[in-house]
């Protein structure tokens, strides 16, 4: 009886710790560590040193570097990899007189530092110069590593444009939640947002959001804009320091109005071209060899800017009708021995897959790339449900789960009347939290192909950064937990308690978010 009481008390204690995502293993210890200006750091080697800098930046304390651990020091250490620590894992021990953090990589140390930060008061997330100078860090032993390697968030900067500063702010908060993939939706109908030097019209014309037939800005304002290659490099290197991989998306062969308006030869035209290039008849590319070559040239520049293994090529929502009705496209289908328009789409993606593979990269696309046959090296991003992910995994391909039902953060998060207008749908916080990324239809081997999970922020109805942030958080917090934490530790009641702390942190750092309802339901 006494033992049981002690155990349950012990349990209650650890779940009071304001950690989000919840770590793989947590044990509370007695006492606390006093962190203040007399605390020293032992950090040898580049990885330890760069993470010591993060800790200094986060705590705004001096944390003098010393050679040897002593009373009141924090030791950051790189150790040999083993199964218990993994590539991104860490072990953190907060004792009464010393903090030990070890990992086998800089990423692991970084995640340990994020956990240590979460043990400090929320006010330390503020940019105020010195929100405090002495903290009692609860003593604890944590052993942690992520469940999935792809913990993603997508931002659509085509429908409405966001500056590099606005993007970096999102990256900071993603990293604090141990999210590690930023999928940057850079091209679509209304705007081409990435400078391609070989094809200047893509940004000179294509970024102006000048179109007349496809989705317009919701506020009637001009949302033109693009990132120069210098700005792209800056964001990619900023993300790298946060251990976030930036996966660029260059849409093809659909959702291509901005590209076609810039270079009409890429398009499908049934009649004489109109004088206004934005009067594009179809958002489809035409599938000519010259169009494939154009996109290979674009990808050459993209690959130079983005070190990511995966390059996203879209592939979704290709309206097959304009291809069906176009004599030249039908000729191409016949010449290539293809059966139909689905196979033309598949042919297109296969060409690009071959090109990316030959350059040591991997193609990822929305689940429509399954139609007409999946390209050899392709990874599938399952969005119209989970079936695309299941089909890919069963065929031995990798998949990332991002179904509209749970992972579309542009959908309404509450039925309350004051919600900003959204595209539709209903994805409240508890629904996000309840999502299980590995479909039960997969056996153990097939399940290994599920790389992870991703939340998507499409911006047809989102024109301002504060609105975009409101849609992202706290659903991004729930996403972080299902992407990182072991399935068995997921617990809605405990999550909501920890989330209250987390929202204090978001508030301190000036991130907008949707507040929980009074009943703690998060928007039901
Ligand atoms: C998508 O939402 N069209 C991928």
């Amino acid at each position: 009886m006494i033992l049981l009481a002690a155990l349950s008390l012990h349990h209650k204690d650890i779940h009071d710790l304001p950690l989000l995502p919840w770590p793989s293993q947590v044990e509370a210890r007695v006492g606390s560590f006093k962190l203040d200006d007399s605390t020293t750091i032992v950090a040898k080697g580049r990885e330890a040193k760069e993470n010591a800098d993060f800790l200094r930046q986060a705590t705004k304390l001096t944390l003098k570097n010393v050679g040897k651990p002593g009373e009141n020091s924090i030791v950051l250490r790189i150790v040999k990899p083993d199964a218990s620590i993994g590539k991104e894992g860490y072990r953190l021990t907060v004792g009464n007189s010393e903090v030990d953090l070890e990992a086998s990589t800089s990423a692991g140390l970084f995640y340990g530092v994020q956990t240590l930060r979460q043990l400090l008061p929320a006010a330390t997330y503020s940019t105020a110069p010195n929100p405090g100078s002495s903290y009692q860090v609860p003593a604890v032993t944590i052993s942690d590593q992520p469940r999935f390697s792809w913990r993603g968030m997508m931002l659509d900067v085509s429908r409405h444009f966001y500056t590099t500063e606005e993007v970096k702010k999102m990256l900071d908060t993603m990293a604090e939640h141990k999210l590690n993939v930023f999928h940057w939706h850079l091209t679509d109908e209304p705007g081409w947002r990435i400078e391609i030097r070989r094809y200047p019209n893509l940004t000179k014309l294509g970024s102006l959001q000048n179109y007349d037939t496809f989705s317009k800005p919701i506020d009637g304002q001009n949302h033109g804009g693009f990132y120069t290659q210098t700005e792209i490099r800056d964001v990619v290197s900023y993300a790298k320091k946060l251990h976030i991989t930036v996966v660029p998306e260059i849409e093809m062969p659909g959702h291509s109005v901005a590209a076609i308006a810039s270079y009409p030869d890429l398009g499908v035209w049934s009649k004489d071209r109109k004088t206004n290039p934005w009067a594009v008849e179809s958002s489809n590319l035409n599938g000519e060899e010259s169009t494939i070559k154009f996109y290979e040239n674009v990808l050459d520049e993209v690959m130079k800017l983005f070190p990511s293994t995966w390059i996203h090529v879209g592939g979704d929502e290709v309206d097959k009708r304009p291809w069906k009705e176009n004599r030249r496209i039908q000729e191409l289908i016949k010449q290539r021995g293809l059966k139909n328009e689905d196979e033309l789409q598949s042919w297109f993606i296969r060409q690009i897959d071959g090109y990316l593979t030959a350059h040591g990269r991997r193609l990822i696309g929305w689940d429509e790339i399954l139609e007409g046959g999946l390209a050899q090296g392709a990874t599938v991003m399952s969005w119209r449900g989970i079936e695309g992910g299941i089909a890919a995994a069963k065929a031995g391909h990798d998949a990332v789960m991002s179904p509209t039902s749970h992972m579309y953060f542009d959908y309404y998060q509450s039925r309350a009347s004051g919600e900003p207008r959204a595209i539709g749908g209903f994805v409240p916080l508890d629904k996000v939290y309840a999502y299980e990324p590995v479909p039960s239809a997969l056996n153990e081997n097939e399940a290994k192909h599920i790389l992870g999970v991703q939340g998507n922020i499409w911006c047809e109805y989102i024109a301002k950064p504060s609105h975009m942030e409101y849609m992202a958080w706290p659903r991004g917090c729930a996403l972080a937990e299902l992407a990182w934490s072991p399935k068995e530790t997921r617990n809605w009641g405990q999550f909501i308690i920890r989330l209250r702390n987390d929202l204090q942190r978001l508030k301190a750092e000036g991130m907008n978010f949707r507040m929980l309802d009074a009943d703690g339901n998060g928007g039901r």
Side-chain angles (χ1 to χ4, degrees):
M1 277 309 276
I2 290 167
L3 184 66
L4 270 179
L7 272 177
S8 62
L9 187 67
H10 193 68
H11 254 277
K12 181 175 179 299
D13 279 347
I14 60 166
H15 286 109
D16 283 347
L17 294 171
L19 302 174
L20 198 159
W22 190 248
S24 315
Q25 282 173 26
V26 186
E27 258 178 72
R29 302 168 51 149
V30 178
S32 62
F33 176 85
K34 185 158 179 269
L35 177 67
D36 62 18
D37 243 335
S38 68
T39 305
T40 56
I41 285 204
V42 182
K44 298 203 174 94
R46 181 181 55 81
E47 295 94 338
K49 285 201 172 88
E50 63 198 16
N51 281 290
D53 285 340
F54 267 117
L55 203 50
R56 284 189 191 100
Q57 212 180 311
T59 56
K60 301 171 193 83
L61 295 171
T62 317
L63 305 178
K64 198 166 137 237
N65 231 344
V66 294
K68 276 204 199 95
E71 274 293 298
N72 194 17
S73 57
I74 299 174
V75 183
L76 304 184
R77 195 172 15 222
I78 291 285
V79 296
K80 282 215 172 69
D82 65 51
S84 80
I85 207 159
K87 259 191 6 212
E88 296 179 284
Y90 64 91
R91 286 187 282 261
L92 173 67
T93 308
V94 178
N96 291 294
S97 64
E98 187 175 314
V99 173
D100 277 290
L101 173 58
E102 54 186 36
S104 69
T105 61
S106 183
L109 286 180
F110 180 78
Y111 293 129
V113 166
Q114 297 313 315
T115 297
L116 185 55
R117 285 186 72 185
Q118 292 189 342
L119 294 170
L120 303 176
T124 55
Y125 283 72
S126 144
T127 51
N130 195 4
S133 53
S134 176
Y135 309 106
Q136 293 295 333
V137 188
V140 70
T141 303
I142 292 173
S143 174
D144 197 13
Q145 57 177 304
R147 182 174 175 207
F148 294 108
S149 62
W150 188 298
R151 306 182 295 278
M153 189 95 100
M154 188 216 75
L155 180 64
D156 165 14
V157 295
S158 177
R159 270 53 174 261
H160 289 95
F161 184 68
Y162 294 95
T163 65
T164 56
E165 286 314 304
E166 288 152 7
V167 168
K168 285 180 183 175
K169 187 179 171 198
M170 284 296 285
L171 294 175
D172 284 335
T173 305
M174 283 176 63
E176 286 156 19
H177 292 84
K178 303 185 174 79
L179 295 170
N180 71 340
V181 176
F182 177 60
H183 170 175
W184 209 356
H185 186 78
L186 289 163
T187 75
D188 211 305
E189 323 291 26
W192 182 285
R193 307 303 193 179
I194 171 176
E195 177 192 19
I196 300 295
R197 294 197 174 144
R198 191 177 174 130
Y199 300 118
N201 283 359
L202 286 172
T203 42
K204 207 153 73 188
L205 302 175
S207 74
L208 295 179
Q209 213 152 18
N210 230 350
Y211 49 87
D212 68 353
T213 47
F214 292 78
S215 56
K216 292 181 168 51
I218 54 162
D219 54 6
Q221 304 290 309
N222 187 324
H223 290 271
F226 69 93
Y227 309 107
T228 64
Q229 294 204 350
T230 307
E231 287 174 321
I232 297 263
R233 278 185 215 282
D234 175 49
V235 169
V236 169
S237 95
Y238 188 89
K240 185 165 185 257
K241 291 195 187 107
L242 301 172
H243 300 278
I244 292 175
T245 301
V246 184
V247 175
E249 180 178 354
I250 306 295
E251 272 264 8
M252 59 191 93
H255 284 279
S256 298
V257 170
I260 297 165
S262 311
Y263 291 94
D265 283 351
L266 300 169
V268 182
W269 302 92
S270 56
K271 306 188 266 301
D272 290 341
R273 280 177 207 160
K274 306 234 172 69
T275 44
N276 173 6
W278 284 93
V280 168
E281 290 173 25
S282 155
S283 59
N284 293 359
L285 301 172
N286 56 22
E288 299 279 356
E289 297 283 350
S290 56
T291 297
I292 299 291
K293 186 66 198 154
F294 181 100
Y295 273 81
E296 288 175 354
N297 291 337
V298 167
L299 290 173
D300 282 346
E301 294 191 32
V302 168
M303 287 189 281
K304 283 204 185 96
L305 295 168
F306 296 92
S308 163
T309 301
W310 273 276
I311 306 287
H312 204 299
V313 302
D316 58 317
E317 298 181 310
V318 178
D319 174 8
K320 305 285 163 57
R321 185 190 42 81
W323 277 354
K324 213 178 181 73
E325 291 171 357
N326 184 282
R327 207 168 338 136
R328 171 65 185 154
I329 302 287
Q330 290 305 312
E331 218 173 84
L332 285 175
I333 287 177
K334 222 157 136 199
Q335 266 173 26
R336 291 172 185 155
L338 305 171
K339 278 214 267 309
N340 52 29
E341 296 73 32
D342 281 350
E343 289 201 0
L344 178 61
Q345 150 128 352
S346 169
W347 178 89
F348 196 115
I349 299 294
R350 279 180 215 269
Q351 306 309 302
I352 301 297
D353 178 52
Y355 194 74
L356 289 174
T357 303
H359 288 79
R361 305 302 180 96
R362 293 181 64 186
L363 177 147
I364 181 164
W366 301 108
D367 56 45
E368 288 93 330
I369 65 170
L370 282 152
E371 292 164 8
L374 193 54
Q376 199 179 357
T379 298
V380 169
M381 191 165 265
S382 194
W383 74 279
R384 292 177 298 176
I386 61 172
E387 290 71 22
I390 294 171
K394 282 194 181 290
H397 287 254
D398 289 337
V400 174
M401 304 307 285
S402 193
T404 51
S405 56
H406 297 77
M407 288 294 129
Y408 268 44
F409 296 173
D410 56 332
Y411 286 11
Y412 281 101
Q413 51 192 323
S414 165
R415 296 201 200 278
S417 58
E419 284 302 301
R421 184 172 171 210
I423 196 162
F426 184 53
V427 178
L429 183 64
D430 62 341
K431 193 159 186 210
V432 177
Y433 194 76
Y435 181 56
E436 169 46 39
V438 177
S440 56
L442 299 182
N443 67 31
E444 205 176 315
N445 264 332
E446 293 160 349
K448 290 185 186 136
H449 287 294
I450 304 299
L451 300 179
V453 55
Q454 180 174 293
N456 296 331
I457 310 167
W458 297 102
C459 290
E460 285 94 336
Y461 290 83
I462 305 174
K464 289 197 177 72
S466 61
H467 183 188
M468 183 261 284
E469 294 168 4
Y470 177 91
M471 302 306 270
W473 312 103
R475 289 187 286 195
C477 305
L479 164 70
E481 192 137 317
L482 55 107
W484 179 281
S485 308
K487 189 179 171 183
E488 319 74 75
T489 64
R490 236 188 289 159
N491 180 309
W492 171 250
Q494 286 162 0
F495 169 75
I496 283 292
I497 293 168
R498 289 181 284 109
L499 182 61
R500 287 187 193 285
N501 265 295
D502 202 60
L503 297 182
Q504 290 303 313
R505 292 190 279 257
L506 294 183
K507 194 167 168 197
E509 65 189 1
M511 176 59 74
N512 196 22
F513 57 88
R514 187 183 190 282
M515 284 200 268
L516 297 179
D517 293 336
D519 60 4
N521 250 341
R524 261 289 159 191

